[in-house]
Amino acid sequence: MTSRRFDRTHTDDLIEFIGASPSPYHAAANVAERLEAAGFRRLVETAAWDGEAGGRYVLRGGAIVAWYVPEGTEVTRGFRIFGAHTDSPTLRVKPHPDTGAAGWRQVAVELYGGTLLNTWLDRDLGLSGRIALRDGTERLVLVDRPLLRVPQLAIHLDRTVNEAGLQLDKQQHMTPIWGLGKIDEGALIRFVADEAGVDAEDVAGWDLMVHDVQKPAYIGRDGELLAAARLDNLLSVHAGLAALLAAAHDGAAHIPVFGAFDHEETGSESTTGAAGPLLETVLTRVVSSRGGSLDDRARAFADSFHLSSDVGHAVHPNYVGRHEPGHHPVPNGGPILKVNTNQRYATDARGRAVWAAACERAGVPWQTFVGINSMGCGTTIGPITATRLGIETVDVGAACLSMHSSRELCGAEDPHLLASAAAAFLAG
Ligand SMILES: [Zn+2]
């Protein structure tokens, strides 16, 4: 499949979405903007909901849940849910950011998620996130130009690095520089306030993080691969949004739902994470605002299915032995079904059947990932939401290399294939 010409429209749009979404807050806001353009209306959590048919969404920080109630849908009708996450491993700004040594100005950072530390070295880094103001409002911040760098030690000062392996101390060696001069208390937040067009005195709090400013790129002999930051998991967020927009119509057999949650990389436990009550609250209100009872909610949940989408491992040509010999997902081989009977993934026989049927309807090839017994396995929001809501769940995604690197790699066709399969699932 890899040398065939393919329509790049979906992947071109993914590239734009990733570039505009360096933080979970930007990702959720960009999803909201696209939903608004498609006629979806935002519902406020503190207000009563009307329960009318049509497209609606709830935005909460770095998380967003959107759904479409087809005209005439009874209250016990189940949901078809596509779930993903908006956050990625990165370096986040500490409460007292201004630091430095030996005439260098630096920014104190905390490691966020399971970061591959070496991938942040010697890259041109920007800054993004949100600031909270004294008046209770908040602003998104995006400095999308080279501002910071975590410089690697020269080989002359670390002669054994290539033989002994790179040893990075998480506290000592990951502090970015952002210029020269003495430590200037408050300088970073003054800079950020200036970028946001507000007074530094009005900034009461911040959730800021660094990102690689290099744009995504097609690579490979035929441009058949995509190199980009945050494929984990903006690839799925973007695919799920496209799938919802394709499935949102009055003929849909169930209520299509798209949920993108924050804090997956740290375990999903937050008010905006998949282990929190956000999805349950939204689905409950979608039932109750249409006059449904607790019993109706239970019936709707029992009639529901959840497709949890996240990246998985493609077989690595230089480390083939790290992969299960009978299961080698390849880029552009189609989306992957993720299996782990120890429930790191929620997939079971019934889930596999639902997934296979969706891929068949979409005309999309698919592959299976399962880990090697001698190694542990990652996990996703799939088992978490399955446990919390009791809704049947299947784990799927796209195969990639370099997961949790600051710049990951996947097949350039796979995002579209995943979106097509997801659209068939949501419409089913
Ligand atoms: Zn992920």
Side-chain angles (χ1 to χ4, degrees):
M1 288 187 71
T2 51
S3 61
R4 167 185 101 212
R5 287 222 162 271
F6 73 99
D7 180 1
R8 287 186 169 181
T9 312
H10 180 93
T11 309
D12 285 346
D13 193 57
L14 170 64
I15 286 172
E16 192 183 314
F17 180 77
I18 288 175
S21 307
S23 80
Y25 314 108
H26 287 85
N30 288 326
V31 168
E33 194 179 307
R34 286 163 174 243
L35 287 167
E36 289 279 345
F40 281 65
R41 226 177 61 217
R42 183 175 180 178
L43 294 183
V44 177
E45 291 185 81
T46 50
W49 292 4
D50 58 31
E52 287 169 11
R56 302 285 184 273
Y57 72 94
V58 167
L59 175 65
R60 194 195 277 187
I64 188 160
V65 181
W67 64 96
Y68 187 93
V69 178
E71 193 69 53
T73 305
E74 60 270 32
V75 291
T76 54
R77 187 86 65 89
F79 301 96
R80 287 292 174 270
I81 307 159
F82 180 100
H85 67 87
T86 56
D87 62 320
S88 303
T90 182
L91 316 176
R92 296 198 168 184
V93 173
K94 282 186 169 174
H96 292 294
D98 300 290
T99 185
W104 292 89
R105 282 191 187 175
Q106 293 174 283
V107 175
V109 292
E110 188 175 8
L111 307 182
Y112 177 84
T115 310
L116 264 179
L117 296 179
N118 64 299
T119 67
W120 291 94
L121 302 177
D122 296 345
R123 303 202 68 92
D124 300 343
L125 305 174
L127 192 67
S128 77
R130 65 177 180 183
I131 50 175
L133 304 180
R134 280 198 305 193
D135 64 4
T137 63
E138 60 185 76
R139 299 279 175 91
L140 294 185
V141 177
L142 174 53
V143 183
D144 199 21
R145 59 180 189 273
L147 179 71
L148 304 127
R149 178 183 170 113
V150 186
Q152 188 170 353
L153 189 60
I155 193 164
H156 316 77
L157 306 180
D158 193 7
R159 284 289 184 193
T160 60
V161 62
N162 288 333
E163 291 70 36
L166 180 63
Q167 298 286 323
L168 290 168
D169 182 281
K170 290 173 181 169
Q171 175 67 19
Q172 285 294 313
H173 300 150
M174 295 307 296
T175 309
I177 55 166
W178 76 305
L180 297 165
K182 287 206 278 285
I183 297 172
D184 180 7
E185 195 70 50
L188 184 80
I189 296 310
R190 284 201 302 279
F191 172 85
V192 166
D194 206 42
E195 289 285 329
V198 301
D199 258 354
E201 289 80 62
D202 290 335
V203 178
W206 51 88
D207 299 308
L208 297 169
M209 60 208 74
V210 307
H211 67 278
D212 181 1
V213 298
Q214 187 181 1
K215 295 300 171 210
Y218 291 100
I219 72 167
R221 194 195 69 176
D222 298 314
E224 69 265 52
L225 300 168
L226 175 67
R230 302 180 295 284
L231 290 172
D232 180 4
N233 191 12
L234 295 185
L235 186 162
S236 295
V237 171
H238 179 263
L241 175 61
L244 174 68
L245 297 181
H249 54 79
D250 287 337
H254 294 85
I255 298 174
V257 179
F258 165 68
F261 305 93
D262 202 353
H263 301 128
E264 191 274 344
E265 300 295 356
T266 59
S268 294
E269 292 183 341
S270 76
T271 56
T272 50
L278 179 58
L279 182 61
E280 182 179 9
T281 303
V282 166
L283 297 183
T284 299
R285 294 185 74 176
V286 173
V287 173
S288 62
S289 63
R290 290 180 296 131
S293 65
L294 209 55
D295 193 58
D296 293 328
R297 188 194 87 146
R299 292 174 65 187
F301 279 22
D303 183 38
S304 296
F305 214 96
H306 175 211
L307 195 67
S308 157
S309 183
D310 208 335
V311 290
H313 302 297
V315 60
H316 194 306
N318 299 346
Y319 300 87
V320 175
R322 303 284 173 99
H323 299 268
E324 211 295 314
H327 304 77
H328 278 176
V330 291
N332 295 335
I336 53 172
L337 177 79
K338 296 154 78 169
V339 177
N340 180 273
T341 55
N342 293 295
Q343 298 304 303
R344 303 287 287 169
Y345 303 132
T347 305
D348 62 7
R350 284 168 55 86
R352 187 183 192 280
V354 168
W355 170 245
C359 288
E360 193 176 324
R361 284 199 302 279
V364 163
W366 58 279
Q367 318 175 75
T368 307
F369 172 85
V370 67
I372 193 162
N373 288 337
S374 49
M375 240 174 276
C377 175
T379 188
T380 69
I381 65 165
I384 293 169
T385 48
T387 302
R388 184 166 175 110
L389 300 178
I391 290 176
E392 283 194 276
T393 300
V394 59
D395 270 295
V396 303
C400 80
L401 291 186
S402 314
M403 195 189 294
H404 288 197
S405 164
S406 68
R407 194 168 173 88
E408 298 163 327
L409 185 75
C410 73
E413 290 183 70
D414 284 329
H416 181 244
L417 295 173
L418 173 63
S420 300
F425 164 80
L426 288 181

